[in-house]
Amino acid sequence: MLVVKIDNHEQARPQFGVNSADVVFEEIVEGGLTRFAALYHSKEAGLVGPIRSVRTSDFDLLENLNRPLFANSGGNEAVLQLLQEVDFTDVSSNAAMDVYQRLADRPSPHNLVSDTGSLRTIGTARGDGGAPPTLFVRRNFEGDAEKSGTCLLYTSEAADEGLGVHIGGRRIIKKKKERGGGGGGGGGG
């Protein structure tokens, strides 16, 4: 799994390679600004970015991805010190500047880019990352075959119709009639 920290400032738009990501998280950084953490697993992007700095808000995501490759443009000294406690493979511009470039037609710092193939090559040279965890399981309702890589969309309309949601065989959102109040024992989680 490759995680790339991507700028979402208005001067960074349009971003590159976001559509090739398997999952994109939007994180609030400061002053109402956001950045993306784009996860690449099944596709490559010939150009990805603009790549920006690591924040402490990235730590929980990284820790849940089983030692991912992490591409970023560095960070302040305190954050980089804390980042050393997180298990990941460093493919940042600090670790491998030769696979990064700056675009002349954009102002800095909104112009640092790379490509997923080069970032993965650096990751392999640094010991690779771990295999990504299965985030979702898709069931083929015509058979029992399971496949990973499903996008789950849950709406309030589905709740109103009494539909339950299951992940990994465990019901996480109960059907409407199971949520009702009153008496029935039994714990739940």
Side-chain angles (χ1 to χ4, degrees):
M1 176 75 66
L2 169 64
V3 179
V4 181
K5 194 65 181 273
I6 298 180
D7 198 352
N8 193 28
H9 189 277
E10 63 185 35
Q11 292 182 329
R13 297 178 191 146
Q15 294 92 343
F16 305 102
V18 175
N19 288 342
S20 296
D22 293 284
V23 178
V24 178
F25 293 93
E26 184 174 25
E27 303 171 330
I28 297 173
V29 286
E30 71 272 329
L33 298 175
T34 63
R35 292 195 180 153
F36 298 133
L39 281 60
Y40 298 88
H41 177 63
S42 65
K43 296 180 189 173
E44 299 295 337
L47 190 63
V48 64
I51 298 172
R52 290 301 306 269
S53 62
V54 62
R55 297 289 209 258
T56 55
S57 58
D58 298 318
F59 295 2
D60 286 338
L61 176 63
L62 294 171
E63 289 173 340
N64 282 289
L65 293 175
N66 191 25
R67 197 169 184 265
L69 308 178
F70 184 38
N72 61 79
S73 66
N76 71 48
E77 190 175 324
V79 171
L80 293 177
Q81 185 68 33
L82 290 170
L83 184 63
Q84 292 179 14
E85 298 174 20
V86 178
D87 192 18
F88 72 101
T89 300
D90 189 2
V91 296
S92 70
S93 62
N94 291 344
M97 190 58 198
D98 57 322
V99 300
Y100 289 80
Q101 63 180 342
R102 294 223 177 248
L103 301 177
D105 62 341
R106 292 191 182 201
S108 183
H110 312 289
N111 63 348
L112 185 66
V113 296
S114 189
D115 67 274
T116 58
S118 295
L119 293 168
R120 288 185 197 282
T121 299
I122 295 299
T124 299
R126 294 176 151 261
D128 258 337
T134 301
L135 298 177
F136 301 102
V137 175
R138 174 178 34 188
R139 294 196 185 265
N140 178 351
F141 290 104
E142 295 176 16
D144 289 328
E146 293 185 356
K147 298 177 183 176
S148 64
T150 295
C151 176
L152 174 66
L153 175 63
Y154 185 76
T155 65
S156 61
E157 290 81 16
D160 290 342
E161 292 178 23
L163 302 176
V165 175
H166 295 74
I167 294 180
R170 181 173 169 227
R171 178 171 282 151
I172 61 164
I173 299 176
K174 297 183 177 180
K175 291 182 182 179
K176 193 177 196 180
K177 62 183 175 183
E178 293 174 335
R179 286 184 283 161

